[in-house]
Amino acid sequence: MAAPLLCVGELPYCGLMNQKPAPASRKQPLVILTTARLILRTTLEQDISILQNLIFGDSEVMRFAFAGAPMARDAAEDFIRRSFTFGESLTGMAVLSEKSAGEVIGFAGLSPCQALKADDFEIGFVLARRAWGKGIATEIGEAQLAFGFEQLKCSRLLGLVDPRNAPSIHALEKLGMRYLETIAEPKRGNRSIYVIEAGEWRQRHAE
């Protein structure tokens, strides 16, 4: 059985938080949220090359993410600087690391999303190969849902995924998200939209 390809929530379709390149980050990142095993934090300068090697330059990881192919180093760095949060923002793509070793294992975050022509947020996660098959997608996904509904007071949250990416679809379904529709985006192909309402999420956690 092939290792799962966990790539959900690709930021370009749903709009970037800040179109200007990010300045050099401070030495201590802002921690956005934590789970039993994970830390989601703002981005540091040294994360750029790590993410290039682990994510953007890996053809298997990028198979169902963004345009479906690895990014050149310059393009990846430009994308990270424009798309990731380096400062005080709690939304946008952020670095995901393991608590135990402190090693970067991917990125995740809640990002503004106009896929349904409304001011939504979508959850997203892209994991390095060494993080596959450990339940990390579900763990960070649950944390993002809680953050979106409890901290950001969202009425619903979305997840966009390549319809061929069965492992990521399975992760979204485990989170209680339901399929809504598939949209076509010229630069990235088809994306299936999954959604969960705040009331649905609260009911699941009350049971």
Side-chain angles (χ1 to χ4, degrees), residues 90-166:
L90 299 179
T91 59
M93 292 291 103
V95 173
L96 187 64
S97 64
E98 289 181 299
K99 276 184 179 178
S100 57
E103 293 183 354
V104 175
I105 57 170
F107 61 86
L110 283 94
S111 305
C113 185
Q114 294 286 326
L116 299 180
K117 313 301 181 185
D119 294 329
D120 290 305
F121 277 88
E122 68 162 309
I123 68 168
F125 44 81
V126 179
L127 304 179
R129 277 197 264 183
R130 67 180 182 222
W132 294 352
K134 299 180 180 180
I136 288 174
T138 304
E139 187 171 329
I140 191 60
E142 288 281 11
Q144 289 181 91
L145 292 180
F147 186 84
F149 289 128
E150 294 178 347
Q151 303 296 321
L152 301 182
K153 307 300 182 184
C154 296
S155 60
R156 68 180 178 186
L157 289 168
L158 310 181
L160 273 65
V161 61
D162 188 310
R164 301 168 298 172
N165 191 348

Side-chain angles (χ1 to χ4, degrees), residues 1 3 14 19 39 41 54 67 76-77 117-118 122 134 144 147 151 170 177 201 204:
M1 180 178 177
C14 295
Q19 294 291 341
I39 296 174
R41 60 167 176 79
L54 285 180
E77 179 174 351
K117 313 301 181 185
E122 68 162 309
K134 299 180 180 180
Q144 289 181 91
F147 186 84
Q151 303 296 321
H170 179 65
M177 304 186 80
W201 179 80
R204 288 183 69 242

Side-chain angles (χ1 to χ4, degrees), residues 25-139:
S25 60
R26 60 185 185 180
K27 292 182 180 179
Q28 293 298 320
L30 175 68
V31 174
I32 299 170
L33 60 84
T34 63
T35 70
R37 295 183 293 172
L38 308 170
I39 296 174
L40 184 67
R41 60 167 176 79
T42 55
T43 314
L44 299 172
E45 284 292 314
Q46 56 263 37
D47 295 323
I48 295 175
S49 61
I50 295 172
L51 291 170
Q52 286 173 331
N53 293 330
L54 285 180
I55 305 293
F56 295 99
D58 189 319
S59 59
E60 279 298 302
V61 174
M62 294 293 285
R63 181 179 169 193
F64 294 134
F66 308 108
M71 287 188 189
R73 295 189 69 84
D74 289 347
E77 179 174 351
D78 181 68
F79 177 79
I80 292 167
R81 291 189 181 280
R82 291 179 179 275
S83 309
F84 282 58
T85 173
F86 280 76
E88 300 293 336
S89 177
L90 299 179
T91 59
M93 292 291 103
V95 173
L96 187 64
S97 64
E98 289 181 299
K99 276 184 179 178
S100 57
E103 293 183 354
V104 175
I105 57 170
F107 61 86
L110 283 94
S111 305
C113 185
Q114 294 286 326
L116 299 180
K117 313 301 181 185
D119 294 329
D120 290 305
F121 277 88
E122 68 162 309
I123 68 168
F125 44 81
V126 179
L127 304 179
R129 277 197 264 183
R130 67 180 182 222
W132 294 352
K134 299 180 180 180
I136 288 174
T138 304
E139 187 171 329

